[in-house]
Amino acid sequence: MTDLDVTRTAAEVLGWSRAAVDPPLRAAVARLPASVRGIAAYHLGWSDEHGGPTGADAGKALRPALALLAAGVVGGTAEQALPAAVAVELVHNFSLLHDDVMDGDTTRRHRPTAWSVFGANPAILAGDSLLVLALDVLADSGRPAAGLLAAAVQRLIDGQSADLSFERRADVRPEECVRMAEDKTGALVGASCALGALFGGGRADQVDRLRRFGEGVGLAFQFVDDLLGIWGDPEVTGKPVHSDLRNRKKSLPVVAALNSDDEAGRELRALYHRAGPLSEADLARAAHLVESCGARAWSQARADDLLARATTHLRAAGPGERAARELDALARLATRRDH
């Protein structure tokens, strides 16, 4: 048996991906203007607020790993897909910098968010700079890939806009919330897989199959992430327990529960739309009501179904059996996290 026959675990793939992407990612960020470079380095976990090196959590880098493996599925190499992997990681972190400002989140990856350290406006500018840098990385590669990424970013922005609009509404329907998640999360995960396949030399049909695989995985990921936003262990999520409920977010399980016609749904609507902050007891009660409505089980069932459907696209995408097995394992890890 050769090394090429050995399928790595999802954790091993993430470690391999991080090691491969980190040097070109650091080289790209070094090109940023000095005014935002330190903020980006802090957000990425490379430095403290004074610029000193640190070993802070830089995130799992799921999207770059998907790009690298997608190249292998279509018969290419991970090295070919490095520009794609760097670009999607830059875009993802652009979105996180902006999300933290818009949501008012003060903790990410177990430490203060960039905006809470450097201010909201500098953090927004740092996010803007990461987005432009992502397009520069693709332009430097010589591949006609910027349009694919730009389209995904437009969908991401549209999804984030819908998410913000939900905060001002009391009548959000589950199907609206699903569409929002398809754009806000699914689009970039789909683009990560599609870009990897494109850089790996994949045919148009293979690129499309992997895009559809990624979009399904991305939506499943959002269902699970929203569960973590309510019941996640702070040691895993880096955020306080019940953080989404505290912020009155209209997440997928919450919207499903708010639309429930039973007693638990009615009580949750009264609690969620009540003026003033929710106490710890209120938050615990809200979480119990969401689960009593069946929304917790519904969300996990939807995630499982989306993953099964996505896998059919992966099987049809290409001959790279080892890469496909590892891509499938990575998708399952992302959608079955502890919660």
Side-chain angles (χ1 to χ4, degrees), residues 76-144:
T77 66
E79 290 73 21
Q80 290 174 302
L82 277 173
V86 170
V88 296
E89 182 69 351
L90 290 169
V91 168
H92 176 55
N93 282 283
F94 137 77
S95 72
L96 295 182
L97 280 163
H98 284 203
D99 273 2
D100 287 342
V101 173
M102 287 184 274
D103 292 345
D105 286 339
T106 57
T107 303
R108 178 172 292 281
R109 297 168 181 162
H110 311 286
R111 65 179 188 157
T113 49
W115 78 265
S116 68
V117 174
F118 299 98
N121 291 337
I124 290 170
L125 292 173
D128 294 341
S129 197
L130 289 182
L131 175 57
V132 175
L133 182 60
L135 296 173
D136 281 345
V137 167
L138 291 185
D140 291 345
S141 74
R143 288 274 189 173

Side-chain angles (χ1 to χ4, degrees), residues 22 29 33 60 62-63 73 77 104 113 117 130 148-149 161-162 186 201 225 258 265 302 312:
D22 195 60
V29 170
K60 288 185 173 63
L62 173 67
R63 290 154 188 83
V73 170
T77 66
T113 49
V117 174
L130 289 182
L148 195 161
L149 183 62
S161 177
D225 201 58
L258 288 172
R302 283 296 305 271
T312 64

Side-chain angles (χ1 to χ4, degrees), residues 53-338:
T54 181
D57 182 8
K60 288 185 173 63
L62 173 67
R63 290 154 188 83
L66 294 174
L68 298 182
L69 289 176
V73 170
V74 300
T77 66
E79 290 73 21
Q80 290 174 302
L82 277 173
V86 170
V88 296
E89 182 69 351
L90 290 169
V91 168
H92 176 55
N93 282 283
F94 137 77
S95 72
L96 295 182
L97 280 163
H98 284 203
D99 273 2
D100 287 342
V101 173
M102 287 184 274
D103 292 345
D105 286 339
T106 57
T107 303
R108 178 172 292 281
R109 297 168 181 162
H110 311 286
R111 65 179 188 157
T113 49
W115 78 265
S116 68
V117 174
F118 299 98
N121 291 337
I124 290 170
L125 292 173
D128 294 341
S129 197
L130 289 182
L131 175 57
V132 175
L133 182 60
L135 296 173
D136 281 345
V137 167
L138 291 185
D140 291 345
S141 74
R143 288 274 189 173
L148 195 161
L149 183 62
V153 172
Q154 294 287 22
R155 286 184 59 192
L156 185 158
I157 291 170
D158 195 38
Q160 177 66 8
S161 177
D163 195 17
L164 291 172
S165 75
F166 291 170
E167 297 176 7
R168 303 186 298 271
R169 293 174 48 195
D171 61 344
V172 180
R173 305 295 300 174
E175 58 270 22
E176 292 181 280
C177 200
V178 170
R179 284 197 300 272
M180 176 274 293
E182 287 173 339
D183 288 338
K184 183 178 176 180
T185 304
L188 184 57
V189 177
S192 300
C193 295
L195 284 166
L198 179 66
F199 274 76
R203 302 184 309 271
D205 63 298
Q206 292 176 307
V207 172
D208 184 62
R209 284 286 190 179
L210 281 160
R211 176 189 59 78
R212 293 166 73 180
F213 164 77
E215 288 180 351
V217 170
L219 183 54
F221 176 94
Q222 190 61 59
F223 270 101
V224 175
D225 201 58
D226 284 356
L227 292 174
L228 287 170
I230 301 175
W231 294 282
D233 181 349
E235 292 297 317
V236 175
T237 66
K239 295 183 179 183
V241 68
H242 300 150
S243 61
D244 281 359
L245 298 176
R246 192 182 309 275
N247 294 329
R248 314 285 179 96
K249 283 188 69 67
K250 302 289 196 329
S251 64
L252 289 158
V254 167
V255 168
L258 288 172
N259 279 273
S260 174
D261 290 330
D262 59 16
E263 183 178 345
R266 290 189 289 272
E267 183 180 346
L268 180 66
R269 286 193 292 275
L271 185 61
Y272 222 64
H273 299 138
R274 194 175 69 192
L278 298 177
S279 68
E280 293 300 324
D282 291 333
L283 294 171
R285 181 60 180 169
H288 172 75
L289 292 169
V290 172
E291 185 163 14
S292 296
C293 290
R296 184 176 188 175
W298 171 79
S299 292
Q300 187 61 65
R302 283 296 305 271
D304 294 341
D305 181 62
L306 284 161
L307 183 59
R309 292 171 182 266
T311 301
T312 64
H313 295 295
L314 176 59
R315 287 199 296 264
E321 292 185 7
R322 177 192 174 185
R325 290 194 302 269
E326 292 178 344
L327 199 52
D328 181 67
L330 196 59
R332 293 180 185 283
L333 174 70
T335 56
R336 293 296 307 188
R337 293 173 292 167
D338 292 337

Side-chain angles (χ1 to χ4, degrees), residues 45-56:
W46 300 341
S47 65
D48 60 24
E49 63 269 32
H50 306 295
T54 181

